[in-house]
Amino acid sequence: MILLDDYGITHCVLFDSYDAIYSEIVSAADEAEKIDSSDLDKYKTYEFEKLKDGFDVNKSYLFHGKNLIDSKRKVLLPDFFISREIADDIIKNTKIKGTQILVGQGCSGKTYVTIDIARKVVDRDVFVFQSRERINDEAFEILINREKCLVITDSKALSVQQIEKVIRTDSNRIKYSNSFIVVENKSNRDLLSLLALLRLNETIKEEELIPFELKNKLSEKKTNELNIKLVRSTFGVFSNTKSIADNIIDISSRLIQGNQFEKIAPRVGTVKDVACLVALATMEKIYSEDVVILNLEEEFMLQKKKASPLIEDEGTWDFEKSIAKNSPMKYVVNAEFWLCRQLDSLEKSEEGCKRVIEAYRYIVLKQIEHYGKPDLKRGEKNASYKDYILFDNINQIFTSQGTALIRGIYESLNDLLSTDPNYLHQRAKCYIRSALKTKDLEQKQEWLTKAQRDAASSHKIFEERYEKCQNEKIQISAAHTAYTVALTLCHLAGLSNYENIKINEKAIENLYLALSSPYNSIEFIKRDKAYNYNNIVETTISTLAADMTLISNDKLKDNVTELIKMQLTENLR
């Protein structure tokens, strides 16, 4: 028998299984990595240093998200660092609230906001803990009982039990000037679920601890402020219509620079993969209830895993819920520009085009299977698939290859949606834009003729629906389709150099009808550059007014005169 003492072994630990050994080792390692009470001062009130301007000095912070806190716990602020409005709101509350919660999507600038708060608060000790750090229970007890103290911590640095104690001691800590700011990624639902539970058992009131939400887009004012600094270092400029991630991707692409997102690519191998991306690109967020309807549960989970943090899941806010819509979570895209570029690149191959077309058909088919097929005699303006068939929505995603793909999408949906006048109207818009894109006169004629037929059919269906139910929304739709009918006829008249009297007369007849409605106006027509290109409506009116022989019907000649008066009246305003 071997005497263990001879080898310096004094104790033996018995485990029931090998799994138990590994679990214990991992647990011990995790505990050893936690911040101990003796280390707390390392995380207190940092030294701040502002970097100089210049491309090379600042590029790693902009393009690769370099950590603002270095190994010596000094905070290095890039030259383009700006304050967000939300930071000042939170700072004001530190004297009257013991706990505040800041939530934001991935790439929304949460780290920059927390650093901004830390550098501005000077009336107490400030501790900052990032997501990769953990606080043990002893250190936590010191922090929660400390006076004149602000703790800014990522939720991952605390356990659920520690966060709950922060919330439960909220009012007691205010008198000691002890305040916690807990920062949470919206994709992590643990904190929001805890808040919901505490409200349910009335530990906190409904109006208490409402999280501050940090948007992933900058306001116009802040975008302008940032751009002044960015151009100083020759980075270019941000757009306030794009998310922060999208702006970084866009600028780095223009400057031929790598960025932290460049290796992220979504799954596009199957129709259902592409359907996930189409849904996100169209809606920007997809609730779990709709994911189930589309039968894309597995695909969305895989997309999130593959493309995080540009695609994430997050808890649903209470204000988003209703009796009819009560999804507990949703998938969101944090970089719409990036996603549209990913989809647009698919369009460049025949197989990719086919997959995109099939993805749209798949989405609409699933919506119809769940909600029912559109009825020719009656319908809902806000059909479940409405956003997926709007020409402007589809065109915004697929911008580089003209309208061939979009025509393919509409044509693939014909057997499903031909009884929906909204679909016919949107397809008419697609044909009008198709005519603009081609120089072939015969093709122009073909697309405009198809557009006129679709618009006329759509207008007739809306008119009949209105006669039956006298619904104002339907009347508005009828007026808008009447304008599209008139617009297509103006384009056709111009294409024939106004030599076809029958088309001239039809154009004037429908234009007068459309503008007689209070829901259309000369002002709108002038702004409509997308479809009223080359200012074809005004050109048609002025051409026929200048030469009345191009119209044979006397009543329609009077309509031309009335249209000229409408133009003059609008110009005088």
Side-chain angles (χ1 to χ4, degrees), residues 259-317:
N259 65 73
Q260 60 184 308
F261 310 114
E262 63 187 337
K263 294 182 179 179
I264 298 177
R267 294 165 57 92
V268 294
T270 69
V271 170
K272 293 178 77 173
D273 286 337
V274 177
C276 288
L277 304 181
V278 166
L280 280 174
T282 304
M283 306 299 294
E284 296 185 12
K285 57 186 176 184
I286 301 294
Y287 294 98
S288 51
E289 178 184 347
D290 297 313
V291 171
V292 173
I293 290 170
L294 295 175
N295 190 25
L296 293 175
E297 300 98 310
E298 182 180 356
E299 285 74 19
F300 267 105
M301 284 192 289
L302 292 172
Q303 291 288 18
K304 173 207 162 187
K305 185 176 180 180
K306 184 83 163 43
S308 178
L310 301 184
I311 294 176
E312 293 184 310
D313 62 350
E314 59 185 44
T316 304
W317 296 102

Side-chain angles (χ1 to χ4, degrees), residues 6-195:
D6 292 344
Y7 293 91
I9 298 173
T10 59
H11 296 82
C12 291
V13 180
L14 299 178
F15 293 93
D16 295 328
S17 65
Y18 284 108
D19 287 344
I21 296 174
Y22 294 125
S23 296
E24 190 64 30
I25 291 172
V26 170
S27 177
D30 185 52
E31 188 63 30
E33 289 180 355
K34 288 184 177 179
I35 297 168
D36 189 73
S37 57
S38 60
D39 296 324
L40 280 178
D41 280 348
K42 295 178 184 177
Y43 298 85
K44 182 181 72 174
T45 310
Y46 303 88
E47 177 186 349
F48 296 90
E49 179 183 327
K50 183 75 177 290
L51 296 176
K52 295 179 180 180
D53 60 27
F55 187 86
D56 291 332
V57 177
N58 293 278
K59 68 178 182 180
S60 58
Y61 293 93
L62 181 64
F63 295 138
H64 296 284
K66 184 177 178 180
N67 198 339
L68 300 182
I69 304 175
D70 69 10
S71 58
K72 297 179 180 178
R73 311 302 296 176
K74 177 189 281 189
V75 179
L76 300 173
L77 302 176
D79 182 62
F80 57 80
F81 189 99
I82 62 168
S83 295
R84 303 277 290 274
E85 294 94 342
I86 201 170
D88 290 334
D89 293 335
I90 293 173
I91 291 169
K92 288 175 185 175
N93 285 334
T94 54
K95 293 182 180 180
I96 58 173
K97 291 183 182 291
T99 308
Q100 296 182 81
I101 296 170
L102 172 67
V103 300
Q105 296 170 319
C107 319
S108 58
K110 297 185 294 296
T111 300
Y112 277 61
V113 170
T114 57
I115 292 299
D116 192 30
I117 294 170
R119 74 185 179 119
K120 287 181 175 178
V121 173
V122 294
D123 66 338
R124 61 187 75 187
D125 289 333
V126 180
F127 294 81
V128 177
F129 301 99
Q130 301 175 87
S131 60
R132 62 175 179 266
E133 293 153 350
R134 301 290 184 273
I135 305 172
N136 71 18
D137 288 337
E138 183 185 354
F140 173 74
E141 288 299 322
I142 291 173
L143 288 171
I144 204 166
N145 291 302
R146 190 175 178 124
E147 294 185 22
K148 299 202 71 170
C149 165
L150 172 63
V151 178
I152 307 172
T153 175
D154 190 285
S155 65
K156 291 187 180 68
L158 301 174
S159 67
V160 174
Q161 292 76 16
Q162 288 171 340
I163 293 175
E164 183 173 352
K165 187 165 184 178
V166 168
I167 293 171
R168 288 181 179 275
T169 60
D170 180 85
S171 57
N172 292 333
R173 286 183 288 103
I174 296 172
K175 56 188 175 185
Y176 300 114
S177 298
N178 181 301
S179 185
F180 273 67
I181 299 170
V182 182
V183 183
E184 176 76 295
N185 194 310
K186 287 181 74 177
S187 64
N188 185 353
R189 295 186 295 280
D190 291 344
L191 177 54
L192 296 179
S193 299
L194 175 61
L195 289 173

